[in-house]
Amino acid sequence: MAHTRKIRNRKPLQAVILVVLVLAILVGMVFVLRKKGRSTMNASAIQEGLEFLTQLEQKSPDSVRQARQALYVRRMEAQKDELVAQLENGEVDPFSLFQDYVVMGDSRSVGFWYRNFLEQDRVLADGGNIIRNIPGWYEQLEEMNPSYIFLCYGLNDCSIGIWTTGEEYAEEYMTYARKLRELLPDCTIVISSILPAQDPAFEKSTRWRRIPEWNEQLEKYCKEEGFLFADCNWIYEEHPNLWDIDGIHFKEPLYPYWGSELIITALYGGITNET
């Protein structure tokens, strides 16, 4: 009972502290945005936020925490929207945002350095690679100790016939992702969806038609295991003309779109969880 009373006595103080923190965050946001000259919050929105915070004084600590979380999510979403807009209109080079990273994958991933978008020694990829090649890089990855790892496999995995279903593939994929997380606990791991193939690629392998189902399983397992999943399907929907003549590989202009999705996912994919 003594322990319970102690917790109850601290609630008013916790509530006050949380309200002060939220107010400080809000004021800081306004100051920074005004300083940059492109505030995304108008006067009425700021006043609404202040009134909302005032109301929180009479609420429980849990309610205050939820409100602070909501403000955090809105702030991160606003930053993400602004960055996406800058990437779309060419104000920002997506590859300038890649810092202390490693990209891993197959011949498609090779294009990141071959097309001069990323540093060659940061792209651990080769033609024909599948997820079972990942362990061969463990030692080098530990030496590099990157802050971000982008896993971009799937093309060969889908056609080679080792895995019969997307679920089997996703299950094994997670074993390597978990090992990477164990080796590099401070590293953010992003798993790219498998970009689809198109005609005439299906003349070479009809298994590539299963890519959408494999992606569905990959996304499901990533959510369950806590890995970031970069959904790149929009690239194909909006830019199908950027596939090479073989229907498998990509033309140079596709890579900035792919890179944008990868880095946006790395930076903002977890916006619902405050860090």
Side-chain angles (χ1 to χ4, degrees):
M1 294 299 294
H3 182 63
T4 301
R5 285 196 296 272
K6 183 178 180 181
I7 292 176
R8 288 177 178 173
N9 291 337
R10 291 176 57 190
K11 282 187 176 181
L13 178 59
Q14 290 176 336
V16 172
I17 293 174
L18 287 171
V19 169
V20 171
L21 286 173
V22 176
L23 185 58
I25 291 172
L26 184 58
V27 173
M29 288 168 54
V30 175
F31 175 77
V32 172
L33 290 171
R34 284 180 174 174
K35 186 175 180 181
K36 291 183 177 180
R38 56 170 186 270
S39 174
T40 58
M41 307 175 77
N42 56 37
S44 61
I46 295 173
Q47 183 60 35
E48 180 183 349
L50 291 173
E51 292 174 356
F52 179 65
L53 288 173
T54 301
Q55 296 173 7
L56 291 179
E57 292 179 349
Q58 303 302 320
K59 295 184 179 294
S60 68
D62 285 341
S63 297
V64 175
R65 277 191 289 269
Q66 292 173 6
R68 188 177 72 146
Q69 179 69 12
L71 286 173
Y72 172 82
V73 171
R74 290 172 61 184
R75 176 168 62 87
M76 295 298 285
E77 287 177 341
Q79 289 181 4
K80 176 181 177 180
D81 291 344
E82 181 178 3
L83 179 56
V84 169
Q86 291 174 332
L87 289 168
E88 288 178 346
N89 61 30
E91 289 182 29
V92 175
D93 174 9
F95 298 107
S96 68
L97 304 177
F98 280 72
Q99 303 292 329
D100 194 22
Y101 66 92
V102 164
V103 174
M104 304 178 68
D106 49 36
S107 57
R108 286 172 158 183
S109 301
V110 170
F112 280 114
W113 70 260
Y114 184 76
R115 302 286 191 177
N116 297 314
F117 291 116
L118 296 174
E119 302 172 45
Q120 183 174 354
D121 60 358
R122 291 280 176 175
V123 180
L124 308 183
D126 204 355
N129 275 7
I130 61 175
I131 56 173
R132 290 186 177 179
N133 293 110
I134 294 176
W137 299 106
Y138 286 159
E139 183 176 350
Q140 185 170 343
L141 286 168
E142 285 189 281
E143 293 176 357
M144 297 176 74
N145 192 26
S147 297
Y148 301 93
I149 293 179
F150 301 95
L151 300 176
C152 305
Y153 294 91
L155 179 72
N156 303 309
D157 311 64
C158 191
S159 64
I160 204 170
I162 295 177
W163 302 274
T164 57
T165 67
E167 185 173 13
E168 290 179 3
Y169 178 64
E171 287 179 349
E172 184 166 341
Y173 207 140
M174 292 303 104
T175 64
Y176 303 118
R178 286 194 295 268
K179 182 61 177 179
L180 289 173
R181 184 161 57 189
E182 177 186 334
L183 294 172
L184 304 164
D186 297 325
C187 179
T188 297
I189 298 173
V190 177
I191 295 178
S192 174
S193 67
I194 309 168
L195 277 78
Q198 63 178 223
D199 286 325
F202 302 125
E203 297 175 5
K204 183 176 180 180
S205 175
T206 58
R207 292 192 178 104
W208 284 320
R209 296 189 184 277
R210 302 180 302 178
I211 288 178
E213 184 263 330
W214 283 40
N215 279 332
E216 182 179 339
Q217 293 299 320
L218 268 181
E219 183 174 15
K220 172 187 173 183
Y221 274 78
C222 282
K223 289 180 178 179
E224 292 176 354
E225 298 279 351
F227 295 106
L228 296 178
F229 179 79
D231 187 352
C232 303
N233 192 57
W234 66 272
I235 301 175
Y236 183 73
E237 293 175 350
E238 297 182 16
H239 306 284
N241 60 313
L242 296 183
W243 265 243
D244 216 335
I245 192 171
D246 61 4
I248 300 171
H249 297 96
F250 311 134
K251 298 177 181 178
E252 183 173 325
L254 180 139
Y255 283 90
Y257 294 115
W258 196 5
S260 295
E261 185 61 46
L262 292 176
I263 197 63
I264 286 291
T265 301
L267 297 177
Y268 299 103
I271 61 172
T272 58
N273 296 313
E274 183 178 1
T275 56

